[in-house]
Amino acid sequence: MRTELCGIELEHPIINASGTFDAIAARRAFGDAVLERFPFSAYVSKTITPAPRTGNPPPRLWEEPAGMVNSIGLPNKGLDGFMDGDLPALAELPVPLIVSVMATSAEEFAPLVESVAGRAEVAALELNVSCPNVHSGLIVGEEPGETAALMTALRPLTAKPLIVKLTPNVAEPAAVAIAAEQGGADAVSLINTIKAAPALADGTPWLGAGSGGLSGPAVRSIALKQVADVAAAIEIPVIGMGGVERGVHAAALLGAGAAAVAVGTASFRDPLAAARIRAELEALAVDSPAPSGTA
Ligand SMILES: Cc1cc2nc3c(=O)[nH]c(=O)nc-3n(C[C@H](O)[C@H](O)[C@H](O)COP(=O)(O)O)c2cc1C
């Protein structure tokens, strides 16, 4: 089950999806048992932004028959709050730390990337590009040109791995993945949530922000298609996610070309879901080992 991602050794291929497992709160609630039985082989932080954000107005969640829609709105302590408050606590986790960052322009991204990458505790950065560029108004991750320009600006700032988190809300995610790769990304991760707007019977939007993003089992086969398309189009590793609830779902993403798999919404129902998924994946590998020479 050991694997490697952008030069980072992982004990197994199951990591968490950003924003879906609060390791600091889990440790507060369950103590050091969380460290002893940490379910992920690397930990991806909640996305941080340059300044603190309070997030979107409530309600922020809507349950679907096979998933949920969230409009959390990236509440976070901002760069300074993260560095002083959260980073020391996250550095105590027994696995490599990947910090997710987001900003609204390359100029805003730059100090974020330099500060976070400059810390020895941080193994890699994930760039959340599902946000409009303040100059162009375009969602960076929806436009290959915007993604390439951002990577060109950020790549020289650090030698640490830069993972671009792709949005599924495009016709051709592979085109954006190719732009990320050409701009110097070390890996891509996908899928982020799919735009969704639940409403009441009279048409009133349920979510305080009006709309949000769908995740969970409902998006699984979309994720599988997009991961396969992206993995076929680029050379750099792909981290696959979207609706993974069981070992077979992780195996399918790995089979589609993912180098690692992230568990997101499933952790809300069961914080140890990732440990079970990992065990199920391991059992599948034992039952049907890879042909000799390819293990
Ligand atoms: C409540 C919630 C919060 C999330 N927060 C973030 C975030 O801060 N940054 C990010 O890149 N993705 C965030 N995501 C998206 C997940 O990382 C993941 O890409 C998506 O949910 C698909 O995986 P899943 O179906 O396993 O949840 C969030 C998802 C949920 C449900």
Side-chain angles (χ1 to χ4, degrees):
M1 293 285 275
R2 291 191 79 83
T3 188
E4 178 258 348
L5 185 71
C6 313
I8 305 165
E9 296 284 328
L10 302 181
E11 233 173 78
H12 57 85
I14 305 297
I15 69 174
N16 68 301
S18 174
T20 62
F21 187 96
D22 185 337
I24 296 174
R27 191 171 175 194
R28 213 169 26 238
F30 304 112
D32 286 349
V34 169
L35 305 186
E36 284 147 27
R37 296 174 58 204
F38 201 65
F40 311 106
S41 63
Y43 181 75
V44 185
S45 78
K46 169 88 190 153
T47 299
I48 62 161
T49 51
R53 287 168 60 106
T54 50
N56 286 332
R60 292 170 162 186
L61 293 177
W62 168 272
E63 197 168 334
E64 286 288 341
M68 68 184 207
V69 181
N70 89 82
S71 69
I72 305 291
L74 301 182
N76 75 96
K77 298 175 182 168
L79 176 62
D80 292 344
F82 175 80
M83 297 295 248
D84 298 340
D86 291 354
L87 185 55
L90 295 179
E92 290 179 12
L93 298 177
V95 296
L97 175 63
I98 299 171
V99 177
S100 169
V101 296
M102 190 191 82
T104 57
S105 66
E107 306 87 75
E108 250 198 18
F109 253 114
L112 201 53
V113 166
E114 282 182 313
S115 308
V116 171
R119 294 292 288 258
E121 306 94 312
V122 177
L125 282 78
E126 185 170 79
L127 308 175
N128 183 341
V129 292
S130 298
C131 180
N133 177 330
V134 73
H135 301 305
S136 65
L138 299 169
I139 306 284
V140 176
E142 293 183 3
E143 303 285 334
E146 291 273 347
T147 302
L150 180 68
M151 288 311 299
T152 305
L154 301 184
R155 182 66 280 177
L157 303 181
T158 177
K160 287 202 174 152
L162 294 177
I163 303 163
V164 176
K165 173 97 176 251
L166 299 174
T167 168
N169 301 308
V170 288
E172 293 291 344
V176 183
I178 290 169
E181 180 178 48
Q182 288 174 347
D186 297 279
V188 298
S189 55
L190 71 156
I191 61 171
N192 210 322
T193 55
I194 295 177
K195 283 181 195 167
L200 303 179
D202 66 357
T204 312
W206 168 258
L207 297 168
S211 67
L214 176 66
S215 64
V219 310
R220 188 184 306 135
S221 55
I222 298 169
L224 202 48
K225 162 80 174 140
Q226 297 203 358
V227 166
D229 288 352
V230 165
I234 58 176
E235 299 293 325
I236 55 176
V238 175
I239 302 169
M241 72 194 88
V244 173
E245 285 196 315
R246 295 175 44 209
V248 284
H249 307 147
L253 284 171
L254 294 169
V261 170
V263 174
T265 300
S267 296
F268 286 106
R269 187 173 294 145
D270 171 9
L272 288 177
R276 177 182 46 74
I277 291 165
R278 173 214 171 161
E280 290 171 357
L281 183 64
E282 201 160 2
L284 283 173
V286 170
D287 287 347
S288 40
S292 64
T294 61

